[in-house]
Amino acid sequence: MNRRMFIGGGLGLCAGAIILPALSQKVMQESDLLEMEMESGIVSIRLFSDLAPAHVGRIRALVQARFYDGMPFARVIKDFMAQTGDPLNMTRINPRQLPPLVAEFSSLPFERGTVGMARSRHPHSATHQFFITTSRARYLDQNFTVFGKVTGGMDLIDQLHGGLHETGRVLNPQTIKRLRLAPFRSDWRVSES
């Protein structure tokens, strides 16, 4: 083997070492599908990284850190929404230390199956809790950040235990077993559930 071939091959290996991780990271970033495993089945959620990049980035980071595993649906109001992200026990991530996100309001309506970021009365206060609407909620439109849509398994959200009438607080909440980024697939479609 001559020196040129050795150097050229070595440069090719170095380029591969740089390009391959970058490509695999791009594929991971392009996977805008979450799979939420519940006791009763899987809920699929499409993420809208083009409309709410900061919120989707936060959700992805928390999912990769397994923050939502074992997380309860601690607030469920029938014919309105189911909310999760408030841990029953201390997790490895202290949610109080997460910096608040700047709101990313869009024109997408809060229809059945819309996934939005929970927040306080201040529009730029969302950090880690999210909710899934179970019916049309017009008054949330352009007041809360939409970052996803349920594409399958909406019936599982409908089956969650309802909470107290005034607050929606669930006394014996069902939990998310696992929440993961699904492998990138070009064949998924948004479906009505």
Side-chain angles (χ1 to χ4, degrees):
M1 176 182 275
N2 69 32
R3 185 179 280 188
R4 280 189 198 167
M5 286 181 65
F6 179 78
I7 291 172
L11 290 174
L13 287 173
C14 289
I18 293 169
I19 293 170
L20 287 177
L23 285 175
S24 67
Q25 186 171 2
K26 181 164 177 49
V27 168
M28 285 295 288
Q29 288 175 350
E30 288 178 350
S31 177
D32 277 340
L33 189 64
L34 290 177
E35 290 181 346
M36 181 167 50
E37 184 182 344
M38 309 287 289
E39 196 65 46
S40 51
I42 302 288
V43 177
S44 298
I45 299 171
R46 177 184 172 208
L47 299 174
F48 299 141
S49 56
D50 52 335
L51 296 176
H55 287 73
V56 168
R58 171 69 55 84
I59 293 295
R60 279 190 181 132
L62 291 172
V63 166
Q64 289 174 332
R66 302 179 191 264
F67 175 76
Y68 295 105
D69 293 4
M71 193 68 64
F73 273 94
R75 212 171 150 233
V76 178
I77 300 173
K78 289 295 181 190
D79 299 319
F80 173 43
M81 65 88 202
Q83 183 172 327
T84 188
D86 191 13
L88 290 174
N89 303 316
M90 204 55 184
T91 64
R92 292 182 297 145
I93 297 170
N94 182 350
R96 290 187 202 103
Q97 293 180 340
L98 293 171
L101 295 164
V102 173
E104 295 174 299
F105 299 147
S106 70
S107 61
L108 283 181
F110 275 90
E111 303 171 320
R112 176 176 162 73
T114 300
V115 185
M117 207 69 163
R119 62 171 176 80
S120 71
R121 291 179 186 213
H122 187 278
H124 309 298
S125 61
T127 56
H128 61 285
Q129 294 189 47
F130 67 89
F131 61 92
I132 300 170
T133 52
T134 54
S135 64
R136 181 74 170 98
R138 283 182 172 77
Y139 54 92
L140 298 179
D141 292 354
Q142 299 179 15
N143 289 309
F144 285 78
T145 299
V146 172
F147 72 88
K149 177 85 173 179
V150 173
T151 60
M154 192 60 198
D155 57 320
L156 303 177
I157 301 300
D158 292 333
Q159 295 168 15
L160 293 170
H161 301 156
L164 301 173
H165 181 67
E166 302 81 34
T167 63
R169 185 172 156 255
V170 180
L171 300 178
N172 187 17
Q174 291 147 291
T175 61
I176 298 169
K177 285 178 69 173
R178 294 177 353 127
L179 185 58
R180 298 287 180 267
L181 285 168
F184 177 72
R185 297 190 324 238
S186 61
D187 63 339
W188 60 266
R189 301 270 190 272
V190 174
S191 65
E192 289 298 315
S193 299

